[in-house]
Amino acid sequence: MWTYHNPVNIQAAPGALARLAGLLAGRDCILVTFPQAHGLGLVERMQALLGAQLRGVISEIQPNPDVQWLAPLYEQVQRDHADVPCVVALGGGSVIDSAKALLCATPSGRFAELLAVLEQGGELPPGAHKALIAIPTTAGTGSEVTPWATLWDQAGGRKHSLHQRWTWPEAALIDADLMLSLPAGATLASGLDALSHALESLWNVNRNPVSSQLAVGAARRILRTLPALMQDLGDAGLRAEMAEAALLAGLAFSNTKTALAHSLSYDITLRYGQVHGIACSFSLPLVLEMALGADAQCDAALLSVFDAASGEVAVASLRDFLQRLGVSTDPAQFGLSAGDWQQMVQSAARGPRGRNFIRALA
């Protein structure tokens, strides 16, 4: 038996941002976004769109949300906006993940209670948890259609995964026009993150026929579209194509979670500061090579992504794709010896995401 479930109301079209007021249905909200949103005119645009419904703006969100700077923001939101029922997250994965933390209500309004849940597991008690409307400005995060948020503790050398029943976004607005100003580096990293989501949901013990179809379609579109987009960042059609492909990948892994490549990426980000999209994608050919041969149906799906007659051709095709985009697939780029790399793989395989890898069953 298998199931597929995703409760997010998805609305996708160029200019979809104009539908935000309708989704709010008269509710007040706070905006969570990134610092550059002011310079891009996005905050002013949201203020004009929502008027008095917009009760506050949190624009301090940085990449890789860390518990040290999230704590005071969280307590500010709980203190100043406790009565506001909705959070609108406008930005990439870090913004949407931060918003998922900020919308959770602890009994005391203190971040320490949320951190205890992150560290020990379990669920917060019922409370005035806010609804979330997610508006991604990158094509890759998937956070707009999943309940998970990755939060970091750089000082403690660890990462946390937040997942509560109410951290599913209520709605996602996919507006590729918002992605036209995304620079090359962020376009590449977010696109490769989406590719990783698609492939990771295929070589996954939790995959099902729906997630697999979504993943194959997403991966094929990304392989076709991302190189062309990197040559013409202002092409609205290519931006829309990548936005849809990333959405499909998000819908795929919303039911499977990620696997070994993401498990490997956490140490790469913590220890070497590598951006997430590169950290989780440089190892994809190595993980693909490990995945092949574990399951005939999985093999068929993976080969179909690359139109490959054999696993060797698929691995070579993926490695060539990344290298043409300027992404090395050699762990030595991080100063890792062969022995270090094998140790890292073994450690990552024992992690929660690593245990989703198909070789856990083989």
Side-chain angles (χ1 to χ4, degrees), residues 268 272 274 278-279 281-283 326-336:
I268 299 296
Y272 302 99
Q274 184 58 259
I278 305 301
S281 63
F282 87 95
S283 66
V327 177
S328 172
T329 58
D330 183 359
Q333 69 175 311
F334 301 108
L336 292 166

Side-chain angles (χ1 to χ4, degrees), residues 155-234:
R158 58 188 300 193
K159 55 80 65 176
H160 301 289
S161 183
L162 172 65
H163 178 199
Q164 302 284 296
R165 286 177 292 124
W166 44 82
T167 50
W168 279 103
E170 177 182 290
L173 282 177
I174 313 299
D175 185 346
D177 287 350
L178 297 173
M179 305 170 190
L180 285 169
S181 61
L182 199 66
T187 299
L188 177 62
S190 57
L192 292 179
D193 192 15
L195 178 63
S196 180
H197 292 153
L199 295 177
E200 291 262 88
S201 64
L202 286 172
W203 54 56
N204 198 300
V205 299
N206 302 308
R207 74 191 188 282
N208 62 63
V210 174
S211 67
S212 294
Q213 288 296 315
L214 290 166
V216 169
R220 289 177 63 88
R221 290 172 79 168
I222 293 166
L223 292 171
R224 180 177 68 244
T225 306
L226 185 57
L229 177 58
M230 294 304 298
Q231 297 299 315
D232 189 359
L233 296 173

